[in-house]
């Protein structure tokens, strides 16, 4: 009663029970009450107390609440109260007024501890998955929230339990298809927690059609104009795709990249974007970058880049890039996205080079972006993004590198000065008073020279006009002049940044280019400046400059071709030994790789710096340092004798390479000739096969004709026998012997023609044998060609062995002569084959005509024969009828004789008297004569 008074607000007589006592009583009611209504009321009361007395409810009631979930599943209301109570106990998402200032850590520990107690029995999570399948809103929604909270507290453990649970992930995927938006949206949040850092679950979710459903939700919500639901879907898509090559390939193969294009459709008026739209578009751009990230496998990245170009996504991004009114952070992220979409893809790079900004006159997008990079008024992150875009445009793009360098060469500079080129902007940034512009321009120009020795040599031709009245100086000389002036020029920004940028440019320029090294050493002030910088004991900031100076001097030694007498390799090494010391030089060289900013830059290609002062190293330059640091250290310690031996080996290798190149050229020419001969042989072989097929067809036709002739011969023989056996019958039926003899004469003529055709067939067989022999000769010709090729190759190998004696061996005269003889033989044989085939075809036509005529004659004979056979059959039938009539007459006569004898008339038998016999014969003769006349009349009719 006291509890009821407290709940109802009435006055209480005794002391008030504590929260723990009340919770204990409610737990007892849940455990012991037999009525469902009592248990439901007790669970409802626990729910109301669970936020304020979280610890007490969690300790005392969790076991009872789990028991309710197991036993009272038929009542959705009590199940919903129990799930809400467990959520309040486990979740750390409490209201701000209920949190104390110093209790955040305690709250986190409490939620994690209760979660650990709940998932200790894996059946509890399985039971929760079963409840989430219920369609009832009061059960499904609290179940989704509770499972999400469990994943937040103990993600990996809960993920493992769901993974091994039968159809566990599939059950949760059904939440995305729920028509109630609250459950669907919370289902998206649940899948976000479920897919974090678990590749196996990410693959299962992806193959459960998650991409299709999430993209449909984004489209329904209005793409980038949608609310926070779009943001949640994009975060889930990032979880599924990031660092998961299988899902990325599935996303591309499923043509889902094409569905991303409408996300980036922006209008002309881009003012007044909401914060949610900016967030959504930012996440969409990040999702595109996930698919084309440089850390992905090169093949997967390349295929996604091509798909984005073909579906128009790259074009859409470039439209945003050149649009006005776009927020700065969206513009920066768009530049970074375009950078990675075009990085290393020649097709995309060519398209980006053709994009023009909507200005008057139109300017290339690259020029507009470079103007932003060298403009110190632009935000730092935007300038970094432009630099990254320029680097990605030049990455593995020799065509683009050539176009950038060509804008610096004297022959291509616009004399009118109406337009600003990329080269002019880079030079302007390189020599400005802003240290950040100096560094960005130097790095950009270094990327234009990356792994391109031809452009390094061409850049030496660039001349700069420093001031009026002074002669122009080369770009290389101007860089070294600025480098030697150091702090004398008043610059904005870091003092070291400009020198670091110029030293990185010079190191990239001189590496693997002996001509550039010679030009650099030709200035007598450069080497003393470098040695002086390395030998000084400067502060910590200057150590980086000392390391880069040591690297530049080491490159000048390693790639030195000894063309300058005063700066040969050996003299430069002696200079280092005297003024610096080898150990000190190596120590200063190691300052670069030990620097913290060097390690950061080496991690990823994108330049990401917290502040302009940290902008020191470029990612590609770190690769160059790794490549050269070891070889320069070895080169410094080499003696003069080792250098001489190395030079001799290099010269020998160069000579050998030249000889090998010469013979490769000879072999390549021979291979081309052999390929041409092979093609001709293949053509002749195909023609021969066609001719052979024609001959085979003709042989089969001739064989068919033979079979037809043999069949006709047999039939004609049978007809002859039949006519001989029935000759008398034909005469009896009115056919004269003259007609029979005429038919026999015709048969004799056909026999003679048949013998003549057999003779012609024998002649055809001999022609076929000749064609087969010619085919064998063709095979022998091809084999001789192959033998000649192998002989040529052996000849070239012998020439390589005898290079010291006669390096100009290797003429292809013999193979050329052999090939001309083979060509002549082959053409002659082809002509003979063609003439034989033509003769064969003519003979075939004549044979065909003779066969047609013989076939028609045989058909006529067959018609005559069939007509005669019908007439013979009819005559046989008539004779049988006459015999039947005669037999009837004999019976009648014998019956009449019997009657006459019965009447007493004396009748003589045929055997009694001859006269009677003779009279009977006369009568029979008359009757037979009448019958014959009747038969002739019937036949005529």
């Amino acid at each position: 009663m006291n509890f009821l008074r407290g709940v109802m607000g009435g006055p209480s007589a005794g002391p008030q029970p504590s929260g723990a006592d009340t919770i204990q009583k409610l737990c007892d009611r849940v455990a012991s009450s037999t009525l469902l209504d009592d248990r439901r009321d007790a669970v409802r009361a626990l729910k109301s107390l669970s936020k304020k007395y979280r610890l007490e409810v969690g300790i005392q009631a969790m076991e009872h609440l789990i028991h309710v979930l197991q036993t009272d599943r038929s009542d959705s209301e009590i199940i919903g109260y129990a799930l809400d109570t467990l959520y309040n106990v486990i979740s750390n998402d409490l209201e701000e007024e209920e949190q104390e200032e110093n209790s955040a850590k305690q709250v986190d520990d409490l939620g994690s501890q209760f979660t650990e107690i709940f998932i200790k029995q894996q059946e509890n999570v399985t039971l929760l998955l079963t409840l989430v399948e219920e369609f009832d809103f009061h059960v499904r929604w609290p179940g989704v929230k509770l499972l999400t909270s469990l994943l937040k507290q103990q993600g990996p453990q809960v993920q493992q339990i769901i993974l091994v649970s039968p159809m566990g992930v599939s059950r949760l995927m059904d939440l995305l298809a729920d028509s109630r938006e609250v459950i669907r949206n919370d289902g998206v949040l649940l899948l976000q927690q479920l897919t974090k850092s678990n590749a196996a679950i990410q693959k299962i979710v992806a193959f459960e059609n998650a991409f299709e459903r999430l993209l449909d939700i984004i489209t329904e919500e209005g793409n980038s104009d949608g609310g926070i639901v779009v943001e949640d879907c994009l975060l889930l898509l990032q979880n599924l795709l990031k660092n998961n090559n299988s899902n990325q390939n599935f996303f591309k193969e499923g043509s889902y990249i094409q569905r991303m294009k409408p996300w980036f459709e922006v209008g002309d008026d881009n003012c007044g974007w909401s914060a949610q739209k900016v967030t959504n578009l930012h996440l969409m751009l990040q999702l595109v970058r996930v698919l084309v990230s440089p850390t992905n496998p090169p093949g997967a990245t390349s295929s996604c880049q091509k798909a984005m170009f073909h579906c128009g996504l790259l074009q859409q991004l470039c439209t945003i890039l050149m649009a006005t009114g776009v927020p700065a952070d969206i513009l920066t992220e768009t530049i970074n996205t375009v950078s990675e979409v075009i990085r290393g893809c020649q097709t995309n790079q060519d398209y980006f080079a053709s994009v023009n900004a909507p200005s008057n006159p139109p300017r290339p997008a690259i020029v507009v972006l470079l103007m932003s990079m060298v403009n110190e008024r632009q935000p730092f992150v935007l300038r970094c993004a432009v630099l990254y875009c320029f680097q990605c445009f030049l990455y593995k793009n020799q065509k683009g590198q050539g176009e950038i360098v060509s804008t610096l060469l004297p022959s291509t500079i616009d004399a009118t000065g109406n337009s600003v080129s990329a080269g002019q902007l880079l030079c302007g940034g390189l020599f400005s008073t802003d240290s950040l512009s100096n560094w960005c321009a130097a790095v950009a120009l270094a990327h234009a020279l990356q792994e391109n020795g031809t452009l390094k040599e061409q850049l030496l031709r660039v001349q700069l006009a420093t001031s009026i009245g002074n002669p122009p100086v080369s770009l290389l000389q101007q860089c070294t002049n600025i480098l030697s002036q150091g702090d004398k020029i008043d610059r904005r920004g870091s003092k070291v940044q400009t020198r670091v940028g110029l030293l990185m440019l010079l190191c990239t320029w001189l590496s693997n280019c002996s001509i550039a090294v010679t030009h650099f050493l030709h200035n007598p002030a450069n080497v003393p400046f470098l040695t002086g910088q390395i030998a000084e004991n400067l502060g910590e900031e200057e150590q980086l400059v000392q390391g880069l100076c040591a690297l530049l001097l080491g490159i000048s030694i390693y790639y030195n071709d000894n063309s300058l007498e005063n700066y040969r390799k050996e003299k430069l090494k002696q200079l280092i030994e005297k003024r610096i010391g080898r150990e000190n030089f190596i120590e200063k060289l190691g300052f670069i790789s030990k620097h913290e900013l060097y390690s950061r830059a080496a991690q990823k290609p994108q330049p990401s710096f917290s502040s302009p002062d940290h902008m020191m190293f470029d990612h590609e330059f770190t690769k160059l340092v790794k490549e050269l640091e070891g070889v320069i250290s070895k080169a410094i310690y080499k003696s003069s004798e080792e250098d001489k031996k190395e030079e001799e080996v290099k010269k020998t290798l160069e000579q050998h390479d030249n000889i090998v190149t010469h013979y490769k050229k000879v072999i390549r020419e021979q291979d081309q000739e052999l390929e041409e001969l092979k093609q001709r042989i293949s053509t002749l072989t195909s023609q021969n096969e066609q001719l052979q097929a024609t001959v085979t067809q003709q042989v089969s036709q001739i064989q068919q004709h033979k079979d037809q002739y043999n069949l006709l011969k047999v039939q004609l023989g049978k007809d002859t026998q039949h006519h001989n056996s029935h000759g008398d019958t034909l005469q009896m039926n009115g056919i004269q012997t003259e007609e029979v003899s005429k038919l026999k004469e015709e048969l004799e003529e056909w026999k003679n023609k048949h013998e003549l055709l057999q003779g012609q067939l024998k002649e055809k067989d001999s022609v076929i044998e000749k064609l087969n022999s010619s085919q064998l000769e063709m095979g022998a010709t091809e084999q001789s060609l192959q033998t000649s090729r192998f002989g040529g190759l052996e000849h070239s190998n012998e020439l390589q062995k005898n290079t010291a004696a006669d390096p100009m061996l290797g003429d292809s005269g013999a193979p050329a002569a052999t090939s001309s003889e083979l060509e002549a033989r082959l053409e002659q044989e082809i002509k003979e084959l063609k003439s034989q085939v033509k003769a064969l075809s003519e003979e075939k036509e004549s044979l065909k005509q003779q066969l047609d005529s013989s076939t028609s004659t045989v058909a006529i004979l067959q018609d005559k024969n069939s007509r005669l056979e019908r007439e013979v059959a009819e005559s046989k039938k008539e004779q049988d009828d006459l015999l039947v009539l005669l037999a009837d007459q004999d019976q009648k006569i014998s019956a009449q004789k019997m009657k006459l004898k019965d009447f007493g008339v004396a009748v003589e038998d045929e055997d009694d008297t001859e006269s009677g016999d003779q009279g009977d014969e006369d009568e029979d003769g008359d009757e037979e004569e009448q019958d014959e006349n009747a038969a002739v009349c019937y036949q005529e009719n």
Side-chain angles (χ1 to χ4, degrees), residues 567-598:
Y567 295 103
R568 297 173 63 87
K569 285 185 178 181
E570 187 59 32
K571 290 186 177 181
L572 290 175
K573 288 180 187 179
Q574 293 175 359
L575 184 64
I576 291 174
E577 180 68 25
K578 291 179 181 179
R579 295 191 179 181
I580 304 172
R582 292 180 181 179
E583 291 78 8
N584 191 22
F585 180 84
I586 299 300
E587 182 184 358
K588 297 293 178 67
L589 184 62
F591 285 164
I592 302 174
S593 57
K594 294 177 182 179
H595 203 278
E596 180 184 1
L597 298 177
Y598 174 89

Side-chain angles (χ1 to χ4, degrees), residues 131-145 148 171-191 217:
L131 293 173
V132 168
E133 281 188 297
E134 296 289 338
F135 185 75
D136 194 311
F137 181 81
H138 298 288
V139 176
R140 196 172 204 182
W141 188 38
V144 171
K145 293 194 297 181
T148 305
R171 294 175 185 177
L172 300 179
M173 284 299 301
D174 293 337
L175 297 172
L176 295 180
D178 200 305
S179 58
R180 296 160 293 193
E181 290 189 3
V182 176
I183 295 179
R184 183 200 68 183
N185 298 342
D186 282 350
V188 173
L189 296 175
L190 170 60
L191 291 173
I217 294 173

Side-chain angles (χ1 to χ4, degrees), residues 211 241 245-258 260 291 299-308:
F211 294 137
L241 293 173
N245 300 328
S246 174
N247 283 1
Q248 289 174 7
N249 187 54
F250 180 68
F251 190 85
K252 178 184 68 71
E253 295 296 335
S255 300
Y256 296 120
I257 292 178
Q258 288 80 340
M260 299 169 70
L291 295 172
T301 300
S302 176
S303 59
C304 289
Q305 288 172 334
K306 292 177 182 177
M308 289 176 183

Side-chain angles (χ1 to χ4, degrees), residues 452-472:
N452 199 325
T454 304
L455 295 181
K456 291 177 182 179
E457 296 178 6
Q458 289 184 4
L459 201 64
L460 296 171
R461 296 165 45 203
V462 176
Q463 300 290 322
L464 301 175
T466 56
S467 59
I468 300 174
N470 293 328

Side-chain angles (χ1 to χ4, degrees), residues 390-409:
F390 192 73
Q391 291 174 352
C392 292
F393 170 69
L394 297 178
Y395 182 71
K396 294 183 178 180
N397 183 12
Q398 293 190 353
K399 179 182 177 183
Q401 289 176 327
E403 291 173 354
I404 297 298
V405 173
S406 66
T407 59
L408 288 167
L409 299 179

